Amino acid sequence: MGSETPPAILLEKAKLFYNKQTTTLPKVSSANQGGSGNKPHNTKIENKKTPIWAEAKMEKTKDGKTVMTVPLEKYELNNKDIDYARKYIFEERDGEITDGKVIEVIGATEIINEKGESTVTRYKDKQIEGFSGAMISYNLNYSYLEGHYYKEGRQVPGTVRITSKLPNTQSKGGLKGKLANANIPNKLSTEITEDGSTITCSSRYLHVYYYDQYGDYMFSTVTYLGEFCSGPTGPVGPPPVGGVITETVVYDCAGEPNGTASDNNPCNICMGGNTGITACPRILKEIKVDSTARPCVDTIATKIISEAGEIQNVLSDLLSMANLNASASISTIANSGTFKIKIGEHLFNDQTKYDAAGNSFILRRNGVTNDTTGYIHLNKLMLNEATDLAVAATLIHELMHSYMVYGIHHTSGLEHDIFAGMNTFLFDQSGTPYSNQGIPQHTQMANTYVNSMASLLTRFAISRGILTSPDSSISLTEYCQDIFWQNLQHSQAYIAAPNKNRSTSNGNREYKNTSNSSKKKKC
């Protein structure tokens, strides 16, 4: 199938789908409407976004699926070096319309002239032969869904948005985003038309954010596209590229117009801008990071406890078998009203040890937990050398020790009985806890908690942009399990790991931050 006219019945189904999805359209702000921000879209504006059904075509995507493409009115860009193709895409399966969206393809004028129309249907492809430019998708109400940038046919790590406010493009590396026309300012101008009405115009920019292979932001580029004008009755001319998301006034998470506060941070709170908050706050409730510890410890600990709460509904006591889950165990001590622990750092020098065959090896204690108070000290040597993933694994490991200290020394009655029944390796046959808890606690972790500890670490890894295992032979979760098994088999319990050599190798990748590790390191 090349491009064919759609069957009449399918065209009617697409119209019904469109009308159903666009019954309630978003409101236009006063900056775009030239009047009250409470005014809804009027009929004139809706008509300008209406698909041109008479030009609908049936086309095949590269993976063989059938889609209906429908154009909408073209908005001319001021920047003649840049052009775009834009269509509604309706996905069809077994004679039914299953999805609909708006796709914009933006690039150099010659590229769009050559292949812009054919590229619109490639919105799911990571490779588009010979294409360099942006691909942005919106829902049928023209609200942003996602955007990607392609260079020489390949989708590059990053994201794309169209903005109506020239952003600050200073990158971490000190680079400046490139402006396609440096003489075009971020402007909000007012013009008086012949009939005395006011027309307000603002600029629009294509903003490309580039990430490295690990998901960290590197720099951004900005390209001027053109002006978008609106008057008392709404936008002037067809809808511009960028949909309804690029209004002149954008409120940040603190409600500040065009503010810079953001909740895109490890602690998921609104900070920066005018909030007065410049860093993630100390961990709430009963786990506190000592003020002498480096900031990365606070950030990582906060994220771990947050992820633990996401995995398991926070429990205030031990009266649930769900506490066999490491996340629930950590949440328990984070929310206990009677057990308060601190996390700090301390220098623990490496020690020379000997195995059963008399061979010497270096033992490093990555962390130490007090067997009465549950206080945790992370080894400065480990913090200096290890990746964030290894630091997070150490924190989870030590928090499990704290949880066991809590259960042994800070519970009573039925709560204590349930804890003892779930953690049998910590007690002798009479129900008395062993005086030396090093081996019993590591044995309990190995037999009961290691998989759920790895699940928690996997969540942390994904939140840091580590989406795949550095060891390509196994999954990310298995890789996280290996890190814990490396710790357990080198503890005083000398626990045999399921894959001893592999877990040793993968654990060393992270704790020594080798070239084939996850490479994420803030400490």
Side-chain angles (χ1 to χ4, degrees):
M1 180 186 298
S3 295
E4 301 176 358
T5 301
I9 189 170
L10 190 61
L11 183 62
E12 288 304 312
K13 289 181 179 180
K15 292 179 181 179
L16 288 173
F17 187 92
Y18 172 82
N19 290 334
K20 183 178 179 180
Q21 296 293 323
T22 57
T23 298
T24 303
L25 292 176
K27 297 178 180 179
V28 178
S29 75
S30 58
N32 275 354
Q33 192 155 329
S36 170
N38 293 322
K39 290 183 180 178
H41 275 278
N42 58 34
T43 303
K44 182 179 179 181
I45 301 171
E46 290 180 9
N47 288 338
K48 288 178 180 177
K49 290 185 178 179
T50 300
I52 304 174
W53 297 111
E55 299 180 21
K57 299 292 182 182
M58 298 302 297
E59 301 184 43
K60 285 282 189 182
T61 62
K62 189 176 181 181
D63 60 2
K65 294 183 178 179
T66 304
V67 296
M68 182 187 301
T69 63
V70 188
L72 63 161
E73 287 191 63
K74 186 73 178 279
Y75 177 88
E76 296 299 326
L77 302 179
N78 297 86
N79 186 346
K80 299 307 178 183
D81 294 329
I82 303 294
D83 201 0
Y84 72 98
R86 172 176 62 182
K87 289 184 179 182
Y88 286 95
I89 301 288
F90 295 93
E91 297 181 3
E92 177 269 342
R93 185 173 60 203
D94 299 328
E96 300 294 333
I97 300 298
T98 58
D99 194 16
K101 53 176 62 71
V102 178
I103 302 296
E104 290 178 348
V105 178
I106 305 168
T109 301
E110 59 271 21
I111 292 178
I112 298 301
N113 288 340
E114 178 186 353
K115 57 178 55 189
E117 295 294 320
S118 62
T119 302
V120 169
T121 60
R122 305 287 297 274
Y123 56 95
K124 292 185 178 180
D125 296 348
K126 294 185 181 298
Q127 295 188 39
I128 304 176
E129 301 80 5
F131 176 65
S132 293
M135 176 90 71
I136 308 177
S137 61
Y138 308 83
N139 66 18
L140 291 179
N141 283 322
Y142 220 155
S143 293
Y144 178 88
L145 294 175
E146 62 179 345
H148 299 286
Y149 192 75
Y150 295 78
K151 185 175 183 180
E152 298 177 353
R154 291 182 177 273
Q155 188 180 111
V156 300
T159 188
V160 177
R161 294 191 79 109
I162 291 177
T163 66
S164 59
K165 177 176 181 288
L166 181 61
N168 178 6
T169 59
Q170 181 70 36
S171 74
K172 292 191 299 185
L175 300 174
K176 285 283 188 179
K178 300 174 183 177
L179 195 60
N181 188 338
N183 296 321
I184 302 296
N186 176 39
K187 56 185 177 181
L188 184 64
S189 61
T190 300
E191 302 173 3
I192 305 299
T193 62
E194 293 181 0
D195 62 1
S197 61
T198 301
I199 295 179
T200 303
C201 300
S202 62
S203 300
R204 293 213 169 185
Y205 305 89
L206 179 70
H207 196 158
V208 183
Y209 305 82
Y210 291 89
Y211 301 156
D212 64 18
Q213 59 181 317
Y214 309 110
D216 283 335
Y217 169 76
M218 296 190 300
F219 64 94
S220 63
T221 61
V222 181
T223 303
Y224 170 72
L225 298 177
E227 285 187 314
F228 168 48
C229 299
S230 61
T233 60
V236 176
V241 289
V244 299
I245 63 149
T246 54
E247 298 175 349
T248 301
V249 179
V250 179
Y251 293 86
D252 65 12
C253 58
E256 183 73 16
N258 294 330
T260 58
S262 171
D263 55 6
N264 183 21
N265 51 66
C267 44
N268 296 316
I269 66 169
C270 188
M271 57 191 288
N274 294 330
T275 64
I277 303 173
T278 58
C280 289
R282 295 288 173 183
I283 298 172
L284 301 178
K285 299 190 177 179
E286 310 308 332
I287 299 179
K288 309 293 182 183
V289 175
D290 190 83
S291 60
T292 59
R294 61 195 76 183
C296 65
V297 174
D298 200 351
T299 301
I300 293 173
T302 299
K303 189 61 179 175
I304 288 171
I305 294 168
S306 172
E307 293 293 343
E310 291 285 338
I311 292 175
Q312 182 70 34
N313 288 332
V314 175
L315 303 175
S316 59
D317 56 37
L318 294 173
L319 304 182
S320 170
M321 286 300 291
N323 278 277
L324 288 170
N325 181 294
S327 293
S329 303
I330 292 172
S331 293
T332 294
I333 58 174
N335 292 276
S336 167
T338 59
F339 185 61
K340 303 177 187 295
I341 66 172
K342 288 184 178 181
I343 301 173
E345 60 177 272
H346 184 77
L347 176 61
F348 299 102
N349 290 316
D350 293 343
Q351 298 176 327
T352 301
K353 296 288 185 179
Y354 297 89
D355 61 21
N359 300 312
S360 64
F361 64 93
I362 301 298
L363 177 66
R364 172 173 292 179
R365 292 182 292 177
N366 295 322
V368 174
T369 299
N370 186 284
D371 59 9
T372 301
T373 64
Y375 284 15
I376 295 170
H377 284 99
L378 301 179
N379 193 344
K380 289 180 179 290
L381 297 177
M382 183 275 296
L383 292 172
N384 291 341
E385 190 172 8
T387 64
D388 289 357
L389 193 62
V391 173
T394 301
L395 265 172
I396 293 171
H397 182 108
E398 299 304 327
L399 284 167
M400 289 306 300
H401 279 305
S402 284
Y403 164 73
M404 293 174 187
V405 169
Y406 168 67
I408 292 171
H409 298 293
H410 300 271
T411 60
S412 60
L414 179 60
E415 187 179 17
H416 182 80
D417 292 341
I418 292 177
F419 173 85
M422 293 191 299
N423 297 277
T424 56
F425 288 96
L426 310 184
F427 301 86
D428 63 22
Q429 291 183 344
S430 68
T432 303
Y434 291 108
S435 57
N436 186 337
Q437 281 286 316
I439 293 176
Q441 289 187 14
H442 287 133
T443 304
Q444 189 74 59
M445 286 187 209
N447 282 272
T448 308
Y449 295 102
V450 69
N451 287 341
S452 58
M453 291 164 69
S455 295
L456 177 55
L457 185 61
T458 302
R459 285 281 293 260
F460 172 84
I462 293 171
S463 75
R464 291 284 290 114
I466 305 168
L467 306 180
T468 59
S469 168
D471 181 348
S472 59
S473 68
I474 58 176
S475 68
L476 179 59
T477 298
E478 290 173 311
Y479 186 78
C480 290
Q481 289 172 351
D482 279 355
I483 298 173
F484 287 112
W485 281 118
Q486 192 255 17
N487 285 334
L488 291 170
Q489 70 183 1
H490 289 96
S491 68
Q492 62 267 55
Y494 300 111
I495 294 170
N499 295 279
K500 180 179 179 180
N501 293 334
R502 190 189 74 191
S503 61
T504 297
S505 173
N506 287 337
N508 285 337
R509 291 187 198 218
E510 300 301 323
Y511 280 100
K512 297 183 181 299
N513 191 17
T514 62
S515 60
N516 56 356
S517 72
S518 63
K519 297 185 178 67
K520 299 277 190 176
K521 181 166 179 60
K522 300 291 186 183
C523 286

